[in-house]
């Protein structure tokens, strides 16, 4: 079930009707069943993977919580890592590495018998695997007490709004929200509904409206430089609206039910450097990589060389988290290099110019830095979106003027509603950034709020496209 389909909203209406009449424990049990129904609608066979991860990590967590021997605790954690990363490795990466190894042997003159492995990628496996791993790692670090209720823990793993594309929640944040009674309120329902509406506008009107134009250029064998630039800008907006749109809907649904999911995006294209970008983009993943991978590798301890190594390793693995393809690994390397260069430069020059530029000058300097860094981010999206190394080489060469290309623009013009939606979103994000609050409209007069809601409904009603597709991050 997709959030953009009527079937889902019928499902949610039934869940909501049951939710309001059940007591707290009954709500949790019903939500667990509903979450399994929601996930099983994709492919019921993959429920076995969620159940395996749930059973393993619940009982490992309970065993670690009552174990004081450090060696035994490490063995228990290793078992959790082996099961969860083993499932992720088999279903997401095994075929990729087998194919890559066969290609490598072919390049050096050896012919290997083809090893055919056709495995369907379970939707959302990267998200719930990281979520359950954070639980066992936190218990191992003694930052968290294990859950005493198996069914509450199972709901933490499978909670349907954020199950297939995040945000990647931490047990210390979501489990208390599950185990304690929740208060329903009209204000929370209204705010959740607005988040859902905003997410649908982002996904259906903007992301799906821009998708055909982006696809036309990236599928073209000989695009012009202008086409590449415009299509990559469009893809930057598409992927942001697609992914943050999912998160908005997930957070909105949870809020209507009395849950509080973490914010996953904070106007990422207003970032002026890579470190700030990763504090704003896919916050649940970037913070997970920082807390459980970067710090475990040593973080910034041990001098600049080891810090840069840890940054590169973390971001390369973060790139591969997105998909079993070398362009994702290259994208991760690119992001790691940006972070390493920024850290080296900022560390040496952080006091240069402090206090010199103020007022309007500082504001203009900030705008210029944002505009410049957006181009840097967009080249990363070119690496992310490209279908092959050859396409990356060709497009990069044309952007740099090293490869001749057709002149002009052949990219289809996106629908007017999508362009209007982009303008609406820019104003929305500016208001959120200025107010420092995603609920900036909450204190507006009722007539102004009604106009805002009506505008979003208008965009959704008249800007919807028949080309609605699955969310991009479902493939990860």
């Amino acid at each position: 079930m997709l959030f953009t389909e009527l079937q889902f909203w019928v499902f949610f209406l039934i869940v909501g009707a049951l939710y309001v009449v059940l007591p707290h424990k009954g709500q949790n049990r019903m939500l667990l069943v509903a979450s399994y129904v929601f996930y099983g609608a994709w492919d019921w066979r993959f429920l076995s993977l969620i159940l395996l991860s749930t059973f393993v990590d619940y009982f490992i967590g309970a065993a670690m919580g009552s174990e004081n021997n450090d060696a035994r605790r490490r063995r228990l954690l290793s078992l959790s890592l082996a099961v969860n990363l083993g499932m992720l490795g088999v279903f997401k990466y095994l075929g990729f590495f087998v194919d890559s190894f066969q290609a490598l042997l072919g390049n050096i003159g050896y012919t290997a018998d083809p090893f055919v492995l056709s495995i369907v990628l379970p939707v959302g496996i990267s998200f719930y695997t990281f979520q359950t791993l954070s639980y066992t790692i936190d218990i191992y670090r003694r930052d968290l007490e294990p859950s005493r209720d198996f069914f509450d823990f199972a709901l933490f793993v499978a909670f349907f709004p954020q199950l297939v594309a995040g945000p990647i929640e931490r047990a210390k944040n979501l489990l208390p929200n599950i185990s304690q009674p929740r208060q329903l309120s009209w204000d929370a329902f209204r705010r959740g509904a607005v988040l859902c509406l905003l997410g649908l506008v982002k996904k259906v009107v903007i992301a799906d409206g821009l998708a055909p134009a982006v696809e036309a250029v990236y599928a073209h064998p000989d695009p012009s430089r202008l086409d590449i630039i415009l299509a990559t800008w469009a893809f930057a907006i598409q992927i942001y609206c697609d992914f943050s749109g999912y998160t908005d809907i997930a957070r909105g649904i949870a809020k209507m039910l009395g849950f509080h999911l973490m914010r996953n995006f904070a106007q990422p294209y207003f970032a002026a450097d890579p470190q700030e970008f990763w504090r704003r983009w896919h916050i649940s993943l970037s913070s997970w990589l920082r807390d459980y991978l970067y710090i475990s590798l040593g973080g910034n301890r041990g001098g600049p060389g080891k810090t840069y190594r840890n940054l590169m390793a973390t971001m390369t693995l973060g790139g591969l988290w997105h998909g079993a393809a070398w362009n994702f690994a290259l994208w991760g390397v690119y992001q790691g290099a940006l972070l390493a260069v920024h850290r080296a430069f900022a560390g040496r020059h952080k006091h240069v110019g402090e206090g010199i530029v103020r007022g309007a000058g500082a504001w203009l300097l900030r705008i210029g830095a944002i505009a410049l860094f957006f181009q840097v981010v967009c080249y990363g999206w070119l690496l992310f979106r490209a279908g092959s190394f050859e396409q990356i080489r060709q497009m990069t060469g044309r952007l740099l003027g090293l490869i001749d290309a057709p002149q002009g623009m052949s990219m289809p013009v996106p629908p007017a509603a999508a362009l209007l939606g982009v303008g609406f979103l820019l104003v929305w994000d500016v208001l959120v950034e200025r107010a420092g609050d995603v609920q900036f409209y909450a204190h507006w007069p009722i007539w102004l709020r009604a106009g805002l809601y009506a505008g979003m409904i208008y965009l959704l009603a008249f800007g919807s496209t028949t080309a609605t597709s699955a969310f991009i991050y479902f493939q990860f």
Side-chain angles (χ1 to χ4, degrees):
M1 285 184 281
L2 295 173
F3 286 167
T4 53
E5 294 176 340
L6 178 61
Q7 179 188 17
F8 170 78
W9 294 103
V10 172
F11 163 80
F12 181 58
L13 184 64
I14 295 171
V15 169
L18 293 172
Y19 189 81
V20 296
V21 299
L22 289 171
H24 170 240
K25 285 297 181 183
Q27 290 174 340
N28 286 356
R29 305 301 183 256
M30 183 273 297
L31 286 177
L32 179 60
V33 172
S35 296
Y36 288 154
V37 170
F38 173 81
Y39 193 76
W42 300 97
D43 192 324
W44 63 269
R45 294 170 298 176
F46 293 135
L47 282 171
S48 60
L49 300 181
I50 290 183
L51 289 170
L52 175 61
S53 183
T54 300
F55 274 99
V56 167
D57 287 329
Y58 176 78
F59 288 107
I60 285 179
M64 275 198 293
S66 60
E67 180 61 69
N68 293 318
N69 184 284
D70 289 342
R72 294 194 187 103
R73 288 171 59 83
R74 280 193 297 272
R75 285 196 290 271
L76 287 167
L77 178 63
S78 297
L79 178 59
S80 173
L81 292 169
V83 170
N84 287 285
L85 296 180
M87 288 194 302
L88 191 62
V90 168
F91 283 92
K92 190 167 184 175
Y93 300 108
L94 182 57
F96 164 66
F97 285 117
V98 167
D99 292 342
S100 297
F101 184 64
Q102 287 178 341
L104 176 63
L105 290 177
N107 289 336
I108 60 176
Y110 289 92
T111 301
D113 291 333
F115 180 74
V116 179
L117 184 67
S118 179
I119 297 178
V120 178
L121 178 66
V123 65
I125 188 171
S126 296
F127 288 89
Y128 68 74
T129 297
F130 272 28
Q131 187 154 310
T132 57
L133 279 179
S134 72
Y135 172 77
T136 52
I137 294 171
D138 281 349
I139 293 174
Y140 175 76
R141 292 177 174 178
R142 303 187 192 278
D143 292 334
L144 179 72
E145 289 295 319
S147 174
R148 302 301 178 188
D149 188 311
F150 173 80
F151 295 105
D152 283 358
F153 176 74
L155 181 57
F156 159 74
V157 176
F159 187 45
F160 74 88
Q162 47 86 229
L163 172 59
V164 295
I168 304 167
E169 281 289 341
R170 309 287 180 89
K172 63 181 69 174
N173 298 327
L174 185 54
L175 265 177
N177 210 186
I178 292 172
S179 60
Q180 298 169 8
R182 296 168 293 275
Q183 297 295 323
L184 300 180
S185 71
W186 167 248
D187 184 62
F189 182 87
R190 175 180 60 81
R191 293 182 180 218
V194 173
L195 272 175
C196 290
L197 188 57
L198 175 64
L200 287 170
V201 169
K202 285 181 178 181
K203 167 59 179 171
V204 176
V205 178
I206 304 175
D208 289 342
L210 294 175
V214 174
E215 176 62 25
V217 173
Y218 275 85
H220 196 285
D222 199 31
S224 69
R225 179 191 294 179
L226 183 59
D227 280 335
I228 296 169
I229 292 171
L230 293 176
T232 304
W233 285 350
F235 179 67
I237 299 169
Q238 178 198 352
I239 194 170
Y240 169 53
C241 290
D242 194 286
F243 193 16
S244 69
Y246 178 93
T247 300
D248 288 339
I249 299 170
R251 294 180 66 232
I253 292 167
K255 190 176 288 291
M256 286 191 280
L257 296 174
F259 291 86
H260 305 285
L261 300 183
M262 71 176 293
R263 188 180 178 191
N264 212 17
F265 293 88
Q267 295 72 57
Y269 295 146
F270 291 164
D273 61 63
Q275 188 175 34
E276 183 183 2
F277 177 78
W278 282 105
R279 288 199 299 263
R280 293 170 173 265
W281 176 273
H282 202 345
I283 300 167
S284 63
L285 174 64
S286 60
S287 61
W288 197 101
L289 292 172
R290 179 198 64 208
D291 295 343
Y292 299 111
L293 184 54
Y294 177 70
I295 291 176
S296 296
L297 290 172
N300 55 8
R301 303 185 301 274
K306 290 184 178 179
T307 298
Y308 304 148
R309 178 204 65 187
N310 296 338
L311 283 171
M312 292 298 296
T314 298
M315 297 311 297
T316 301
L317 291 172
L320 278 173
W321 175 90
H322 285 81
W326 287 115
N327 68 302
F328 293 127
L330 182 59
W331 178 77
V333 170
Y334 177 75
Q335 296 296 334
L338 290 178
L339 286 167
V341 170
H342 173 261
R343 179 178 285 270
F345 179 82
R348 294 176 182 176
H349 304 282
K350 63 181 179 180
H351 298 299
V352 175
E354 284 186 1
I356 296 177
V357 181
R358 293 182 179 143
W363 182 79
L364 289 173
L365 191 64
R366 169 77 180 172
I367 295 296
I370 289 171
L372 178 61
F373 184 67
F374 179 69
Q375 311 313 313
V376 175
V377 170
C378 282
Y379 182 72
W381 290 134
L382 185 153
L383 304 177
F384 191 95
R385 179 62 175 78
S388 66
F389 281 149
E390 174 57 26
Q391 187 174 39
I392 292 171
R393 185 196 66 80
Q394 180 193 58
M395 287 187 162
T396 301
R398 288 187 171 167
L399 288 175
L400 297 175
L402 303 176
I403 300 176
D404 292 335
Q407 300 301 309
M409 185 184 82
S410 59
M411 185 179 88
V413 177
L419 300 177
L420 183 60
V422 171
F424 166 80
L425 181 61
L426 177 60
V427 173
W428 178 281
D429 277 358
V430 167
L431 292 174
V432 172
E433 184 76 4
R434 284 176 59 85
D437 183 4
V438 293
Q439 307 287 345
F440 64 88
Y441 57 85
H443 303 295
W444 286 6
I446 189 169
W447 63 269
L448 195 55
R449 278 185 279 133
L452 174 66
Y453 307 152
M456 287 195 285
I457 292 172
Y458 176 84
L459 274 174
L460 188 60
F462 296 98
S464 299
T465 171
T466 56
T468 298
S469 58
F471 290 86
I472 291 173
Y473 267 66
F474 278 18
Q475 65 186 291
F476 308 140

Short mmCIF file of all heavy atoms in Angstrom, two decimals, residues 360-390:
data_model
loop_
_atom_site.label_atom_id
_atom_site.label_comp_id
_atom_site.label_asym_id
_atom_site.label_seq_id
_atom_site.Cartn_x
_atom_site.Cartn_y
_atom_site.Cartn_z
N ALA A 360 23.55 43.19 6.31
CA ALA A 360 23.16 42.78 4.96
C ALA A 360 24.29 42.05 4.25
O ALA A 360 24.06 41.13 3.48
CB ALA A 360 22.74 44.01 4.16
N GLY A 361 25.53 42.45 4.52
CA GLY A 361 26.67 41.79 3.88
C GLY A 361 26.76 40.34 4.28
O GLY A 361 27.01 39.47 3.43
N ALA A 362 26.57 40.06 5.55
CA ALA A 362 26.60 38.67 6.02
C ALA A 362 25.46 37.86 5.41
O ALA A 362 25.63 36.69 5.04
CB ALA A 362 26.53 38.63 7.54
N TRP A 363 24.30 38.49 5.28
CA TRP A 363 23.14 37.81 4.70
C TRP A 363 23.41 37.47 3.24
O TRP A 363 23.12 36.35 2.80
CB TRP A 363 21.93 38.72 4.84
CG TRP A 363 20.66 38.11 4.33
CD1 TRP A 363 19.87 37.20 4.96
CD2 TRP A 363 20.03 38.38 3.06
NE1 TRP A 363 18.79 36.87 4.17
CE2 TRP A 363 18.86 37.59 3.00
CE3 TRP A 363 20.34 39.22 1.99
CZ2 TRP A 363 18.01 37.62 1.92
CZ3 TRP A 363 19.48 39.24 0.90
CH2 TRP A 363 18.33 38.45 0.86
N LEU A 364 23.96 38.42 2.49
CA LEU A 364 24.27 38.16 1.08
C LEU A 364 25.35 37.10 0.94
O LEU A 364 25.30 36.26 0.03
CB LEU A 364 24.71 39.46 0.40
CG LEU A 364 23.61 40.50 0.17
CD1 LEU A 364 24.21 41.80 -0.34
CD2 LEU A 364 22.57 39.97 -0.81
N LEU A 365 26.33 37.14 1.84
CA LEU A 365 27.39 36.12 1.81
C LEU A 365 26.80 34.74 2.07
O LEU A 365 27.18 33.76 1.43
CB LEU A 365 28.45 36.46 2.86
CG LEU A 365 29.75 35.65 2.80
CD1 LEU A 365 30.49 35.91 1.50
CD2 LEU A 365 30.65 36.02 4.00
N ARG A 366 25.87 34.66 2.99
CA ARG A 366 25.20 33.40 3.30
C ARG A 366 24.41 32.90 2.09
O ARG A 366 24.49 31.71 1.73
CB ARG A 366 24.27 33.60 4.50
CG ARG A 366 23.32 32.46 4.80
CD ARG A 366 23.98 31.32 5.50
NE ARG A 366 23.04 30.24 5.78
CZ ARG A 366 23.37 29.07 6.25
NH1 ARG A 366 24.63 28.79 6.50
NH2 ARG A 366 22.46 28.14 6.46
N ILE A 367 23.67 33.77 1.44
CA ILE A 367 22.90 33.38 0.26
C ILE A 367 23.82 32.87 -0.83
O ILE A 367 23.56 31.85 -1.50
CB ILE A 367 22.07 34.57 -0.27
CG1 ILE A 367 21.01 34.98 0.76
CG2 ILE A 367 21.42 34.22 -1.60
CD1 ILE A 367 19.96 33.93 1.02
N GLY A 368 24.94 33.56 -1.05
CA GLY A 368 25.90 33.13 -2.06
C GLY A 368 26.48 31.77 -1.75
O GLY A 368 26.65 30.93 -2.65
N ALA A 369 26.82 31.54 -0.47
CA ALA A 369 27.38 30.24 -0.06
C ALA A 369 26.36 29.13 -0.26
O ALA A 369 26.71 28.02 -0.71
CB ALA A 369 27.83 30.30 1.39
N ILE A 370 25.09 29.40 0.04
CA ILE A 370 24.03 28.40 -0.15
C ILE A 370 23.88 28.07 -1.63
O ILE A 370 23.80 26.89 -2.02
CB ILE A 370 22.70 28.92 0.43
CG1 ILE A 370 22.77 28.94 1.97
CG2 ILE A 370 21.53 28.05 -0.03
CD1 ILE A 370 21.59 29.63 2.62
N ALA A 371 23.85 29.11 -2.48
CA ALA A 371 23.68 28.89 -3.92
C ALA A 371 24.85 28.09 -4.50
O ALA A 371 24.67 27.20 -5.32
CB ALA A 371 23.55 30.23 -4.64
N LEU A 372 26.07 28.42 -4.04
CA LEU A 372 27.24 27.71 -4.54
C LEU A 372 27.25 26.26 -4.06
O LEU A 372 27.49 25.33 -4.84
CB LEU A 372 28.51 28.43 -4.08
CG LEU A 372 29.84 27.77 -4.49
CD1 LEU A 372 29.96 27.70 -6.01
CD2 LEU A 372 31.02 28.53 -3.89
N PHE A 373 26.95 26.06 -2.79
CA PHE A 373 26.99 24.69 -2.28
C PHE A 373 25.87 23.84 -2.87
O PHE A 373 26.03 22.62 -3.02
CB PHE A 373 26.90 24.67 -0.75
CG PHE A 373 27.03 23.29 -0.17
CD1 PHE A 373 28.24 22.61 -0.27
CD2 PHE A 373 25.96 22.66 0.42
CE1 PHE A 373 28.36 21.31 0.22
CE2 PHE A 373 26.07 21.37 0.90
CZ PHE A 373 27.28 20.69 0.81
N PHE A 374 24.75 24.46 -3.25
CA PHE A 374 23.68 23.70 -3.91
C PHE A 374 24.18 23.05 -5.19
O PHE A 374 23.80 21.92 -5.52
CB PHE A 374 22.48 24.61 -4.19
CG PHE A 374 21.35 23.91 -4.89
CD1 PHE A 374 20.59 22.95 -4.23
CD2 PHE A 374 21.03 24.20 -6.21
CE1 PHE A 374 19.55 22.29 -4.87
CE2 PHE A 374 19.99 23.56 -6.86
CZ PHE A 374 19.24 22.60 -6.19
N GLN A 375 25.06 23.74 -5.92
CA GLN A 375 25.61 23.15 -7.15
C GLN A 375 26.50 21.95 -6.80
O GLN A 375 26.52 20.95 -7.53
CB GLN A 375 26.43 24.20 -7.93
CG GLN A 375 25.73 25.53 -8.14
CD GLN A 375 24.30 25.38 -8.63
OE1 GLN A 375 24.02 24.62 -9.55
NE2 GLN A 375 23.39 26.13 -8.00
N VAL A 376 27.22 22.06 -5.70
CA VAL A 376 28.06 20.94 -5.25
C VAL A 376 27.18 19.74 -4.89
O VAL A 376 27.49 18.59 -5.25
CB VAL A 376 28.92 21.37 -4.04
CG1 VAL A 376 29.71 20.20 -3.48
CG2 VAL A 376 29.86 22.51 -4.44
N VAL A 377 26.09 20.00 -4.20
CA VAL A 377 25.16 18.93 -3.84
C VAL A 377 24.56 18.30 -5.10
O VAL A 377 24.42 17.08 -5.21
CB VAL A 377 24.04 19.48 -2.93
CG1 VAL A 377 22.93 18.44 -2.74
CG2 VAL A 377 24.60 19.87 -1.57
N CYS A 378 24.23 19.14 -6.06
CA CYS A 378 23.60 18.65 -7.29
C CYS A 378 24.53 17.73 -8.07
O CYS A 378 24.07 16.76 -8.68
CB CYS A 378 23.14 19.82 -8.16
SG CYS A 378 21.60 20.56 -7.58
N TYR A 379 25.83 18.02 -8.08
CA TYR A 379 26.72 17.09 -8.76
C TYR A 379 26.69 15.73 -8.06
O TYR A 379 26.75 14.67 -8.71
CB TYR A 379 28.16 17.61 -8.83
CG TYR A 379 29.05 16.64 -9.59
CD1 TYR A 379 28.92 16.50 -10.96
CD2 TYR A 379 29.96 15.83 -8.92
CE1 TYR A 379 29.69 15.58 -11.66
CE2 TYR A 379 30.73 14.90 -9.61
CZ TYR A 379 30.60 14.78 -10.98
OH TYR A 379 31.35 13.86 -11.68
N GLY A 380 26.59 15.75 -6.75
CA GLY A 380 26.42 14.49 -6.03
C GLY A 380 25.15 13.76 -6.47
O GLY A 380 25.15 12.53 -6.62
N TRP A 381 24.07 14.51 -6.70
CA TRP A 381 22.84 13.87 -7.15
C TRP A 381 22.99 13.31 -8.56
O TRP A 381 22.33 12.32 -8.91
CB TRP A 381 21.66 14.85 -7.10
CG TRP A 381 21.22 15.20 -5.72
CD1 TRP A 381 20.93 16.44 -5.22
CD2 TRP A 381 20.99 14.28 -4.63
NE1 TRP A 381 20.55 16.35 -3.90
CE2 TRP A 381 20.57 15.04 -3.51
CE3 TRP A 381 21.10 12.90 -4.49
CZ2 TRP A 381 20.27 14.46 -2.28
CZ3 TRP A 381 20.80 12.32 -3.26
CH2 TRP A 381 20.39 13.09 -2.18
N LEU A 382 23.84 13.92 -9.38
CA LEU A 382 24.12 13.34 -10.70
C LEU A 382 24.75 11.95 -10.53
O LEU A 382 24.37 11.00 -11.21
CB LEU A 382 25.04 14.26 -11.49
CG LEU A 382 25.36 13.88 -12.94
CD1 LEU A 382 25.70 15.14 -13.75
CD2 LEU A 382 26.52 12.89 -13.07
N LEU A 383 25.72 11.83 -9.62
CA LEU A 383 26.33 10.53 -9.35
C LEU A 383 25.28 9.53 -8.85
O LEU A 383 25.30 8.35 -9.21
CB LEU A 383 27.44 10.67 -8.30
CG LEU A 383 28.57 11.65 -8.60
CD1 LEU A 383 29.53 11.71 -7.41
CD2 LEU A 383 29.31 11.26 -9.87
N PHE A 384 24.38 10.00 -8.01
CA PHE A 384 23.35 9.16 -7.40
C PHE A 384 22.35 8.68 -8.45
O PHE A 384 21.93 7.52 -8.45
CB PHE A 384 22.64 9.99 -6.33
CG PHE A 384 21.73 9.23 -5.42
CD1 PHE A 384 22.18 8.78 -4.19
CD2 PHE A 384 20.41 8.98 -5.77
CE1 PHE A 384 21.34 8.09 -3.32
CE2 PHE A 384 19.56 8.29 -4.92
CZ PHE A 384 20.03 7.85 -3.69
N ARG A 385 21.98 9.57 -9.38
CA ARG A 385 20.90 9.27 -10.33
C ARG A 385 21.40 8.52 -11.57
O ARG A 385 20.64 7.79 -12.22
CB ARG A 385 20.24 10.59 -10.76
CG ARG A 385 19.10 10.45 -11.79
CD ARG A 385 17.96 9.65 -11.22
NE ARG A 385 16.83 9.60 -12.12
CZ ARG A 385 16.72 8.82 -13.20
NH1 ARG A 385 17.72 8.02 -13.53
NH2 ARG A 385 15.64 8.83 -13.95
N ALA A 386 22.66 8.70 -11.92
CA ALA A 386 23.19 8.11 -13.16
C ALA A 386 23.07 6.59 -13.15
O ALA A 386 23.16 5.94 -12.11
CB ALA A 386 24.64 8.52 -13.36
N GLY A 387 22.89 6.03 -14.34
CA GLY A 387 22.70 4.60 -14.45
C GLY A 387 23.96 3.80 -14.62
O GLY A 387 23.93 2.56 -14.54
N SER A 388 25.09 4.46 -14.88
CA SER A 388 26.34 3.74 -15.11
C SER A 388 27.52 4.69 -14.97
O SER A 388 27.36 5.92 -15.01
CB SER A 388 26.35 3.12 -16.51
OG SER A 388 26.37 4.15 -17.50
N PHE A 389 28.73 4.11 -14.84
CA PHE A 389 29.94 4.93 -14.81
C PHE A 389 30.13 5.66 -16.15
O PHE A 389 30.63 6.78 -16.18
CB PHE A 389 31.17 4.08 -14.51
CG PHE A 389 31.33 3.74 -13.05
CD1 PHE A 389 31.92 2.55 -12.68
CD2 PHE A 389 30.89 4.60 -12.07
CE1 PHE A 389 32.08 2.22 -11.33
CE2 PHE A 389 31.05 4.29 -10.72
CZ PHE A 389 31.64 3.11 -10.36
N GLU A 390 29.72 5.02 -17.23
CA GLU A 390 29.86 5.66 -18.54
C GLU A 390 28.99 6.91 -18.62
O GLU A 390 29.41 7.94 -19.16
CB GLU A 390 29.48 4.67 -19.65
CG GLU A 390 29.44 5.27 -21.05
CD GLU A 390 30.76 5.91 -21.48
OE1 GLU A 390 31.82 5.49 -20.97
OE2 GLU A 390 30.72 6.84 -22.31
#
